[in-house]
Amino acid sequence: PKLETSKNKAVTVNLLLLLIYTQAFTLTAFHHPICRTAKSPKSDIMKRKYCDNNEFDGLAKLTTIVADTGDIEAIKKYEPTDATTNPSLIYKAAIMPEYSSLVDEAIAYSKEKLPKGTKAEQLSVAMDKLCVGIGSEITKIVPGYVSTEVDARLSFDTAATIEKARSLISLYKEAGIPKSRILIKIASTWEGIKAAETLEKEGITCNLTLLFSMCQAVACAEAKATLISPFVGRIMDWYKKKEGVDGYSPQEDPGVMSVTKIYNYYKKFGHKTIVMGASFRNKGEILELAGCDRLTIAPSLLEQLSSSEGQVTAKLDSSKSSSLYSGEEISMDESTFRWMLNEDAMATEKLAEGIRNFAKDIVKLEDVIAAKL
């Protein structure tokens, strides 16, 4: 019986990894000499011998490369360092038979903690317990951070976001997971950033997501957030639609220009928050951000870099940031933040869109849990 339980847990963990959005992998797994022979043409990461003098290795000398993938074969071969969950992925797990035990455990926990509570109260506790239960399983596999996201519907409520973050950390503590392993993922609204500021002072590290503009980046830096994830591809998508164009050169890509500006601002004024460019649509965007603190890259683009010969030169260099960013340091307060965001139609629309979509999946998850309470 013990052996069977162990096997079941192993299966659960492996299936769970299919659903996590993996942020960072160890670099050594990608470097050659590596001889790779394809096992399946469907695999995102082709197993082959990479060419010498490839762009991947050149980029790796200038920036920390992280892999953006949930591919099970990639995860097996390249052990992830960090992992992030979000409402969409938690929902997908909850409706799969393989994870019914985690759902049942969360429901049982909520009823035990609140035997006389209302259904709404029990639902809230069960939701948090399920997220932490999945996160706890992931911490058994990855050595680094696991991000757990605060309810997107709290994106405009600082006090509620702080309370929810503390509750999640408390549940992790009950599970034997120290807060040093957890990143609380919060949308980069003014209220969310203020919540992160308080949480960081308490030693609760935060991942500020849905970041599309300078005002968000400045506010996050002043709040001393651990990490921001400015998007590249989603910004480009918005401008392509607005301007009716097929694309941009890497140097003129709006997403690349946004991350470059944020990076240079941070380095010029000594901000320690990590800048991790994300959401790439093509190889050119990546190479144009060579030198950024971190870049998270999908397997298909990692393959392109690994199989392409060429020299990679630093485009971002902290020693040159002072001269490349000509503006003054911005003093951020709420009115300045809201005005700057209001003036940026792209950031306003993309931030709102992201929050709405996550909220929709939270409601779907609640329906699944409520039906079993």
Side-chain angles (χ1 to χ4, degrees):
K2 291 183 178 179
L3 180 59
E4 288 302 313
T5 299
S6 177
K7 286 181 179 180
N8 289 338
K9 286 184 177 180
V11 170
T12 297
V13 167
N14 281 333
L15 288 169
L16 184 60
L17 283 172
L18 278 168
L19 297 171
I20 66 172
Y21 166 86
T22 301
Q23 275 194 323
F25 286 74
T26 53
L27 282 175
T28 54
F30 289 103
H31 283 295
H32 53 239
I34 299 176
C35 186
R36 302 179 180 185
T37 304
K39 289 184 177 180
S40 169
K42 296 181 180 179
S43 177
D44 284 339
I45 295 183
M46 299 300 292
K47 299 179 179 179
R48 51 181 293 284
K49 183 177 177 61
Y50 293 146
C51 65
D52 292 332
N53 194 33
N54 67 77
E55 291 175 334
F56 180 94
D57 283 350
L59 181 63
K61 295 174 182 177
L62 302 170
T63 195
T64 299
I65 299 176
V66 297
D68 181 4
T69 182
D71 181 86
I72 191 64
E73 293 302 319
I75 293 171
K76 285 180 178 179
K77 189 169 184 65
Y78 311 110
E79 297 178 358
T81 303
D82 298 339
T84 298
T85 59
N86 63 41
S88 301
L89 299 178
I90 297 294
Y91 168 69
K92 290 177 182 177
I95 62 176
M96 294 177 67
E98 292 86 349
Y99 305 110
S100 60
S101 62
L102 292 174
V103 174
D104 293 340
E105 287 174 13
I107 292 172
Y109 178 89
S110 69
K111 290 182 176 180
E112 179 183 348
K113 288 294 182 180
L114 298 172
K116 296 182 180 180
T118 65
K119 188 172 182 178
E121 291 171 335
Q122 291 180 342
L123 176 61
S124 178
V125 172
M127 290 281 288
D128 289 349
K129 183 61 177 177
L130 177 59
C131 292
V132 170
I134 291 176
S136 297
E137 290 299 315
I138 297 172
T139 64
K140 297 175 184 178
I141 302 166
V142 302
Y145 285 123
V146 171
S147 288
T148 297
E149 190 152 353
V150 169
D151 189 328
R153 295 169 298 184
L154 303 179
S155 295
F156 302 102
D157 190 330
T158 299
T161 296
I162 293 171
E163 182 181 356
K164 180 64 71 175
R166 289 171 177 164
S167 176
L168 292 169
I169 291 299
S170 179
L171 287 171
Y172 271 114
K173 184 178 180 180
E174 286 184 15
I177 311 298
K179 63 183 179 182
S180 60
R181 294 292 314 280
I182 307 303
L183 279 174
I184 296 297
K185 195 175 178 186
I186 303 171
S188 299
T189 58
W190 176 257
E191 294 81 3
I193 294 167
K194 290 289 103 178
E197 183 174 31
T198 297
L199 293 168
E200 291 281 358
K201 290 176 181 177
E202 297 177 2
I204 298 175
T205 50
C206 299
N207 173 356
L208 274 297
T209 188
L210 296 176
L211 195 147
F212 302 95
S213 67
M214 177 60 80
C215 68
Q216 292 173 291
V218 172
C220 288
E222 292 187 357
K224 301 188 185 307
T226 297
L227 182 146
I228 62 169
S229 299
F231 289 90
V232 178
R234 292 193 192 185
I235 292 177
M236 183 190 70
D237 293 343
W238 190 91
Y239 279 100
K240 281 174 60 178
K241 182 178 180 180
K242 178 179 182 293
E243 298 178 358
V245 298
D246 294 329
Y248 303 88
S249 67
Q251 298 86 350
E252 297 176 338
D253 187 301
V256 170
M257 293 170 68
S258 176
V259 175
T260 298
K261 185 177 181 181
I262 290 169
Y263 175 89
N264 286 328
Y265 180 91
Y266 273 23
K267 303 313 175 186
K268 178 175 182 176
F269 297 111
H271 294 297
K272 304 301 182 183
T273 299
I274 296 168
V275 179
M276 184 175 73
S279 175
F280 295 105
R281 297 292 185 259
N282 57 67
K283 187 179 70 170
E285 290 179 324
I286 296 168
L287 295 177
E288 196 62 27
L289 289 174
C292 192
D293 296 336
R294 297 185 185 186
L295 298 176
T296 181
I297 306 169
S300 60
L301 293 173
L302 285 175
E303 174 63 20
Q304 289 183 33
L305 292 167
S306 300
S307 59
S308 300
E309 293 186 15
Q311 296 294 324
V312 178
T313 58
K315 300 294 184 175
L316 304 187
D317 184 342
S318 59
S319 68
K320 300 178 180 178
S321 292
S322 292
S323 60
L324 293 175
Y325 184 84
S326 58
E328 298 295 324
E329 187 167 16
I330 300 169
S331 179
M332 189 59 64
D333 57 24
E334 183 176 356
S335 61
T336 301
F337 177 91
R338 295 196 186 283
W339 178 252
M340 290 179 67
L341 189 62
N342 178 74
E343 290 297 280
D344 190 332
M346 176 277 299
T348 297
E349 292 177 20
K350 283 296 181 182
L351 174 60
E353 178 185 69
I355 292 171
R356 284 196 303 270
N357 288 338
F358 278 150
K360 289 178 183 178
D361 283 329
I362 291 171
V363 172
K364 292 179 183 178
L365 179 58
E366 284 182 336
D367 290 341
V368 172
I369 303 300
K372 297 185 178 183
L373 279 173

